Amino acid sequence: MNPELIIVNPSYEEHIALIQLNRPKELNALNLQVMGEIRDALKMLDEDDNVRVIIITGNERAFAAGADIKQMAGKGAIDMLKIDQFSTWDQIRKTKKPIIAAVSGFALGGGCELVMTCDMVVASETAQFGQPEIKIGIMPGAGGTQRLPRAVGKTRAMEMVLTGNFISAEEALKYGLINKVVPTEVYLTEAVRMAKDIARQSPIAVQLAKESVLKAYEMPLQEALSFERKNFYMLFATEDQKEGMNAFVEKRNASFKGQ
Ligand code: DAK
């Protein structure tokens, strides 16, 4: 792949890949090309055995200020249907490896929805989150009306979606939308630190654990518990389970191979 609007580094740190949105003049607005490049990069990194964790970031001013309004402005309902951007978003959501969003500046509209599609979020103190679609006569279309209430609760989500007002990083932290807020100079370093804590674990256990946590949002409790149970049993078929437990008994650090 030869991306033009994102920068992909599969070996940013050991076992950690970085995707950086790179349309700074447009505040990383997510046009169709950017979304396609993110989808393709995630697929490639998901298939790369050397990669265990993926970080998505923007720049200090903007993670992403939303879908590209200029590209959408002239479109009709049938154009939107034919473009079928949802299949791109669905592919992104199906990424098996954990994704950390490292957010500074604006994370708005589709940008906020992209953040919520990630698994964990580290934000700089200047980060702002919002679903301002209402101000341009539409509403969130890539999960904003569903993932936001699950993260921050109905009343806060309703306020964000209906007023279009932004919330600060501190508010996002208090509401449970993100994992942590750190000074702007270190938001990426902090995301890498979190990624390293995950990259040290068994990649198969990480993958199945991520899959199981996501089921909490998609299935009724009894079915999700039974799904969790099957993944749990499956891990006892891995060498990493033997290595992890033997290492504990032998009082040494485990070395996981993803087998
Ligand atoms: N699209 C296109 N260009 C954008 C943009 C956007 N979302 N956001 C900013 N830009 C451009 C500006 O037009 C400007 O370009 P020039 O005029 O210099 O050419 C440049 O970035 C710098 O922006 P500003 O001059 O406006 O910078 P300010 O600091 O004054 O303001 C701002 C920053 C972020 C508050 C402001 O730019 C702003 O309000 N931006 C729009 C935010 C917004 O409404 N976002 C939601 C867009 S709707 C879907 C999935 C998802 C979606 C739709 C469909 N499917 C799966 C079908 C999502 C929809 C959305 O996200």
Side-chain angles (χ1 to χ4, degrees):
M1 65 175 291
N2 241 339
E4 292 171 349
L5 303 178
I6 64 173
I7 299 167
V8 184
N9 184 346
S11 42
Y12 183 67
E13 292 268 350
E14 201 185 359
H15 297 311
I16 299 167
L18 184 76
I19 297 176
Q20 181 175 21
L21 310 191
N22 192 30
R23 285 188 87 201
K25 279 198 216 117
E26 293 83 6
L27 304 185
N28 290 330
L30 302 167
N31 65 12
L32 294 175
Q33 185 178 340
V34 177
M35 291 310 298
E37 289 183 5
I38 296 173
R39 175 202 55 212
D40 295 347
L42 287 173
K43 185 167 185 301
M44 179 192 80
L45 297 172
D46 229 11
E47 288 166 1
D48 182 340
D49 279 346
N50 196 44
V51 173
R52 295 186 179 180
V53 185
I54 301 160
I55 298 175
I56 301 185
T57 195
N59 54 53
E60 265 188 43
R61 188 168 174 220
F63 177 78
D68 192 320
I69 301 171
K70 292 166 193 165
Q71 193 176 54
M72 282 187 300
K75 299 270 189 292
I78 302 303
D79 301 320
M80 294 301 278
L81 184 91
K82 281 188 180 159
I83 293 168
D84 186 25
Q85 256 210 78
F86 292 107
S87 59
T88 299
W89 285 81
D90 286 345
Q91 282 305 316
I92 291 174
R93 186 176 54 81
K94 284 183 192 154
T95 307
K96 297 190 186 95
K97 291 176 185 167
I99 308 176
I100 300 174
V103 180
S104 183
F106 300 112
L108 307 175
C112 190
E113 289 170 315
L114 182 59
V115 167
M116 290 188 286
T117 308
C118 296
D119 302 304
M120 286 146 288
V121 190
V122 175
S124 88
E125 54 205 357
T126 62
Q128 296 187 68
F129 300 84
Q131 297 290 160
E133 290 91 338
I134 204 83
K135 293 185 175 173
I136 53 169
I138 57 167
M139 58 176 270
T145 68
Q146 301 307 306
R147 290 203 180 93
L148 193 61
R150 282 170 166 80
V152 306
K154 175 189 144 190
T155 55
R156 289 179 187 127
M158 203 63 99
E159 184 179 346
M160 287 173 72
V161 170
L162 300 188
T163 67
N165 292 340
F166 307 162
I167 59 169
S168 67
E170 278 304 333
E171 284 170 310
L173 180 69
K174 197 168 72 185
Y175 299 166
L177 183 61
I178 63 177
N179 295 70
K180 54 175 68 182
V181 182
V182 295
T184 306
E185 308 82 72
V186 296
Y187 75 96
L188 187 53
T189 320
E190 190 59 29
V192 170
R193 204 187 57 73
M194 188 183 270
K196 281 184 178 165
D197 282 348
I198 299 167
R200 217 171 278 135
Q201 317 305 331
S202 158
I204 306 177
V206 166
Q207 181 185 317
L208 296 191
K210 166 175 169 164
E211 188 184 34
S212 300
V213 172
L214 287 179
K215 292 297 177 209
Y217 294 91
E218 293 163 2
M219 279 179 165
L221 183 61
Q222 280 312 320
E223 278 174 50
L225 285 170
S226 133
F227 185 93
E228 177 196 64
R229 217 154 288 170
K230 286 185 182 123
N231 276 357
F232 177 78
Y233 287 143
M234 204 181 323
L235 289 174
F236 282 75
T238 64
E239 288 174 23
D240 282 352
Q241 173 262 332
K242 303 286 174 295
E243 166 63 11
M245 294 192 179
N246 287 339
F248 175 82
V249 173
E250 292 159 17
K251 298 188 188 301
R252 60 174 174 84
N253 290 329
S255 169
F256 295 117
K257 299 199 171 57
Q259 303 287 322

